Amino acid sequence: MSKKVLIATVKPFASKAVEDIKKICKDIGYDFILLEKYAEQSDLVNAVENIDALIVRSDKVTREVITNAKNLKIVVRAGAGYDNIDFEVASEKDIVVMNTPGQNSNAVAELAFGMMVFMARGQFNGKPGTELKGKRLGIHAYGNVGKNVARIAKGFGMEVVAYDPYVDKEDIEADNVIPINTVEELYNTCDYVSINLPLIPETKGIVNDKLLSIMKRGATIINTARKEIICEDSLIKVFSVREDLEYASDIAPGKKDEIIEKFGNRIYFTPKKMGAQTLEANINAGIAAINQIINYFENGETTFQVNK
Ligand code: 3PG
């Protein structure tokens, strides 16, 4: 029987990406099912009933979803962060979970610079701002996005440093980036800090009052990772006494209203998560996702499995 692949995206892929995925399914003889912009979580729960494979973005693949998907063998998160997938239940049921690392990282890195320039120019308020050239940029976590941030920063003429205890110093240096020994040094010495950490239990709230309070005078944090990486209470506490600090984030924090009311134009939040919202990223991540599914079914390939 032919495999049934469901793409379920509250925030849809660009239509070209959907067409490409559909064609790949057709060519191999898999059924293609599309659920876009669904309004209720129950729509997803109902749609998964007979499917063999699921492609999602930030959609919530909960216990209820997985339990209702009796034939499900593989879930691919078309993107980097897989904190939206209930790993425990997926593993219990021997369902393979994958992401598509690197496929949307240029898009996220470009957005980081869009936000950096926007903040440096006073959110385009018409008053004199500052330039990125000559400023020190600290990259917090040197993964796929961090590497792209470093590459673009050099074009701006920034001094680029990075902190990542899981990446060899030599690998960071090979990109002409200065590896920093402690996270405190990164926050203490940089004009801009770009947060590029994945959200895992160890990184939740990792940017706390200790790090925020030692930030360099006039520094700006650019967060294109998850909002949970920053401890919101710490942000409120430190920003109340450090009027020189600024924060831009790709997606609003939980305490958005309070933070905007208190800190006004020192803060910027995108209305929706925008990092991977480009045609190119959608095509890259979407095609990688369907190819990984095909490779899994046809060849047992599990290279990008994240719940091994
Ligand atoms: C990711 O984790 O890949 C990015 O945050 C993009 O998420 P999105 O696909 O929901 O836009």
Side-chain angles (χ1 to χ4, degrees):
M1 235 178 26
S2 77
K3 305 282 186 217
K4 291 184 172 40
V5 181
L6 170 69
I7 300 188
T9 47
V10 164
K11 189 172 59 182
F13 284 130
S15 49
K16 170 82 170 78
V18 176
E19 283 316 307
D20 288 353
I21 297 169
K22 193 172 172 182
K23 181 168 185 318
I24 294 172
C25 282
K26 190 167 172 243
D27 289 350
I28 193 148
Y30 289 6
D31 293 341
F32 169 89
I33 307 148
L34 185 62
L35 175 71
E36 283 183 334
K37 294 191 202 166
Y38 55 94
E40 306 290 339
Q41 180 69 9
S42 57
D43 297 335
L44 177 58
V45 174
N46 294 331
V48 296
E49 214 172 334
N50 297 312
I51 60 159
D52 299 281
L54 174 62
I55 297 176
V56 291
R57 296 184 65 177
S58 297
D59 306 79
K60 296 196 179 355
V61 185
T62 57
R63 177 170 284 275
E64 203 188 358
V65 171
I66 295 177
T67 309
N68 205 39
K70 302 274 181 294
N71 298 334
L72 189 62
K73 322 277 180 320
I74 176 166
V75 179
V76 182
R77 193 286 190 235
Y82 40 86
D83 45 294
N84 52 319
I85 297 171
D86 189 327
F87 259 53
E88 210 178 277
V89 60
S91 299
E92 262 168 36
K93 296 186 181 295
D94 286 329
I95 293 169
V96 170
V97 179
M98 295 185 185
N99 65 350
T100 63
Q103 300 293 345
N104 60 20
S105 34
N106 180 63
V108 177
E110 286 190 11
L111 183 73
F113 282 91
M115 296 203 309
M116 241 179 270
V117 172
F118 185 61
M119 296 306 280
R121 299 300 182 98
Q123 303 193 16
F124 302 155
N125 64 1
K127 296 181 185 156
T130 56
E131 299 179 18
L132 301 188
K133 187 176 175 191
K135 302 297 186 304
R136 184 167 162 108
L137 168 67
I139 301 175
H140 191 171
Y142 204 69
N144 289 313
V145 178
K147 261 175 119 49
N148 276 287
V149 167
R151 173 180 54 77
I152 299 169
K154 302 232 199 69
F156 276 95
M158 301 181 90
E159 181 195 359
V160 191
V161 306
Y163 172 76
D164 193 328
Y166 301 101
V167 176
D168 286 343
K169 284 203 166 72
E170 295 71 34
D171 291 341
I172 296 177
E173 280 163 350
D175 292 344
N176 284 321
V177 172
I178 302 165
I180 292 284
N181 288 326
T182 65
V183 68
E184 286 80 12
E185 189 184 343
L186 188 98
Y187 280 77
N188 189 227
T189 64
C190 291
D191 301 293
Y192 290 88
V193 172
S194 175
I195 298 180
N196 304 119
L197 288 156
L199 178 63
I200 50 174
E202 296 76 25
T203 59
K204 195 166 180 210
I206 199 171
V207 181
N208 54 18
D209 48 353
K210 278 199 197 116
L211 289 181
L212 292 168
S213 60
I214 58 170
M215 287 189 76
K216 187 174 171 182
R217 245 207 108 60
T220 300
I221 301 177
I222 305 290
N223 183 10
T224 52
R226 297 288 181 266
K227 65 181 191 312
E228 292 86 353
I229 302 279
I230 295 227
C231 170
E232 292 182 18
D233 288 334
S234 299
L235 183 83
I236 294 170
K237 187 172 145 198
V238 175
F239 271 51
S240 300
V241 288
R242 289 283 310 272
E243 291 181 7
D244 55 304
L245 299 178
E246 300 199 351
Y247 178 52
S249 171
D250 181 18
I251 202 169
K255 297 190 175 176
K256 173 182 164 213
D257 294 341
E258 182 183 347
I259 292 175
I260 289 176
E261 197 194 310
K262 285 200 156 95
F263 309 118
N265 59 7
R266 292 163 56 201
I267 299 284
Y268 173 76
F269 307 128
T270 54
K272 244 187 192 176
K273 192 139 187 73
M274 292 289 297
Q277 273 300 62
T278 67
L279 171 65
E280 295 86 343
N282 288 175
I283 291 174
N284 293 343
I287 290 182
I290 188 63
N291 283 335
Q292 287 172 212
I293 287 171
I294 292 171
N295 260 323
Y296 175 67
F297 283 134
E298 307 301 323
N299 310 315
E301 173 67 58
T302 56
T303 304
F304 298 108
Q305 184 172 355
V306 289
N307 66 333
K308 274 182 183 160

